[in-house]
Amino acid sequence: MSDLNRTPLFDLHVELGAKMVPFAGYEMPVQYPLGVMKEHQHTRDAAGLFDVSHMGQVILSGQSWEAVATAFETLVPMDVLGLGDGRQRYGLFTNDAGGIEDDLMFARRGDDLFVVVNAACKTADIARMKTALEPEITVTALTDRALIAVQGPGAEAAVSAMDAAAADMTFMDVRDLTLDGIAVWASRSGYTGEDGYEISVPDAQAEALTRKLLAQDGVEAIGLGARDSLRLEAGLCLYGHDIDATTNPVEGALNWAVQKVRRRDGDRAGGFPGAEAVMAAFENGAARKRVGLLPEGRAPMREGVAIFDADAGGTQVGTVTSGGFGPTFGGPVAMGYVATEHSKTGTPLWGEVRGKRLPLTIAKLPFVAANFKR
């Protein structure tokens, strides 16, 4: 793994006994001695700390908030201009066919826009923003900041013990906090379906802050394995698996992410890559849809399993894109795409695992309800 990047917390992961694996060009902890199942449940019951420093952090700045927001709206089908100061929103970079090039978070910090993109896409995303927005908008990749997530019902107590202002934040709020003397940017958000925070901190102070957070009651280090099972139970997409450059947002069941102001007849309709394809999917529907899938029995159905409309013969009507065992749910769970006519909750279908057709049912997402602080 010598050619892989390392986050500022690499040495701490090793000290804590993490099993390190390649992920998105980085050496990342997949699990700690606690193990994936216990790490998953600990996050649901108390608080888990995740190193997400491999993600890309970018600041967009210009002459005014209006200039920055209007420019960014040429790349995403979201309402950026209407975002309040100190608030964050989920977004998508689309391509000319209406496919999703990446999903991201963007937050307003005064007149600047703070954007967090996926690790595997960050080089392309930064190039995309620079090509489309500069020189009117300055695109600055923040290569000297780490990103730490604290997730779970105990997250507020852990973080607010270091800065009481953290407790006043609600879901998707963004604030400057001082955690035990360390100045950070924090959002009340995360990728687990649990309440929590994502904390951007200068590299030089990342390890000190992480040690202080881990010293709080109920906080444990959590790896990528539990992060994946947590987000799957929460019905959250993993880029490159559940959504990709061929996925229209409507197919991906991400209609909610495209605000009315950017849709047909909205005040700032269209104007982003693939706008016509996205509008057409809103108006005419999509041929396939991302759905929850509940396999019967105890055997998980994993990514790539073909889905059929009969237990023998029949027609392939879909594919599993993410699947595994849901520790909180107590059984196997999956997500995937099926032809829209088979997408109604409760519809029986069959997944083909090692040549054998096994029953599954279309299920409503999420499998485990979100616990965000609204």
Side-chain angles (χ1 to χ4, degrees):
M1 295 196 289
S2 59
D3 59 339
L4 295 173
N5 296 307
R6 292 176 173 178
T7 76
L9 300 179
F10 176 84
D11 290 342
L12 179 57
H13 295 314
V14 173
E15 178 186 321
L16 294 173
K19 178 183 177 182
M20 306 300 288
V21 299
F23 183 81
Y26 284 78
E27 287 186 73
M28 296 294 290
V30 68
Q31 68 179 76
Y32 297 87
L34 196 62
V36 173
M37 291 281 282
K38 289 182 179 178
E39 290 174 29
H40 176 112
Q41 204 55 49
H42 186 88
T43 305
R44 291 274 189 245
D45 294 339
L49 184 145
F50 303 78
D51 179 10
V52 286
S53 303
H54 58 312
M55 308 283 276
Q57 301 181 62
V58 183
I59 285 283
L60 307 185
S61 54
Q63 290 189 334
S64 65
W65 167 248
E66 184 174 2
V68 172
T70 302
F72 198 61
E73 284 189 358
T74 66
L75 295 177
V76 301
M78 283 76 218
D79 177 9
V80 186
L81 187 59
L83 190 63
D85 194 7
R87 291 289 292 166
Q88 179 173 256
R89 184 164 281 162
Y90 177 78
L92 308 167
F93 285 136
T94 50
N95 57 34
D96 289 342
I100 300 169
E101 291 292 329
D102 197 10
D103 63 341
L104 55 117
M105 302 300 294
F106 61 92
R108 181 177 176 180
R109 291 178 49 81
D111 286 346
D112 293 344
L113 191 69
F114 176 47
V115 184
V116 178
V117 298
N118 282 305
C121 303
K122 65 182 175 183
T123 299
D125 288 345
I126 291 166
R128 174 182 293 107
M129 288 186 277
K130 283 182 172 289
T131 299
L133 305 179
E134 289 185 337
E136 289 81 7
I137 304 300
T138 302
V139 179
T140 305
L142 304 178
T143 57
D144 59 351
R145 296 187 75 89
L147 195 64
I148 302 161
V150 184
Q151 302 282 286
E156 180 181 290
V159 177
S160 64
M162 301 167 72
D163 187 336
D168 298 329
M169 298 169 65
T170 57
F171 184 56
M172 291 296 203
D173 276 349
V174 177
R175 297 285 185 273
D176 290 348
L177 299 178
T178 302
L179 301 181
D180 202 15
I182 298 173
V184 303
W185 307 343
S187 66
R188 193 143 191 176
S189 61
Y191 191 62
T192 59
E194 293 294 331
D195 182 27
Y197 303 83
E198 291 194 333
I199 301 165
S200 175
V201 57
D203 281 352
Q205 296 165 297
E207 184 176 323
L209 177 61
T210 301
R211 288 183 184 276
K212 290 174 180 179
L213 286 165
L214 288 172
Q216 297 293 321
D217 289 342
V219 181
E220 290 281 353
I222 310 295
L224 291 174
R227 182 172 164 86
D228 192 55
S229 56
L230 288 159
R231 69 91 194 167
L232 177 57
E233 287 186 335
L236 300 172
C237 294
L238 178 60
Y239 190 80
H241 300 260
D242 306 299
I243 52 175
D244 60 26
T246 69
T247 311
N248 187 290
V250 177
E251 293 178 323
L254 298 172
N255 311 43
W256 57 269
V258 183
Q259 287 75 39
K260 289 182 180 180
V261 72
R262 303 303 308 281
R263 300 188 194 183
R264 190 94 69 195
D265 300 326
D267 289 344
R268 298 189 308 284
F272 55 88
E276 279 306 312
V278 175
M279 302 296 181
F282 270 113
E283 292 158 5
N284 305 321
R288 61 175 188 153
K289 185 179 179 183
R290 180 175 64 92
V291 293
L293 302 165
L294 276 183
E296 289 187 19
R298 303 291 287 178
M301 292 189 186
R302 303 192 185 277
E303 181 177 0
V305 166
I307 301 171
F308 291 85
D309 60 2
D311 61 356
T315 302
Q316 182 176 348
V317 296
T319 305
V320 174
T321 54
S322 287
F325 186 81
T328 307
F329 183 80
V333 292
M335 281 195 291
Y337 286 83
V338 298
T340 300
E341 60 265 32
H342 296 281
S343 65
K344 185 178 179 181
T345 298
T347 300
L349 295 170
W350 288 262
E352 190 164 281
V353 181
R354 293 185 292 277
K356 184 178 181 181
R357 300 271 177 96
L358 301 174
L360 58 82
T361 305
I362 302 296
K364 187 177 181 181
L365 293 171
F367 298 107
V368 174
N371 289 313
F372 304 134
K373 181 177 177 179
R374 300 287 186 178

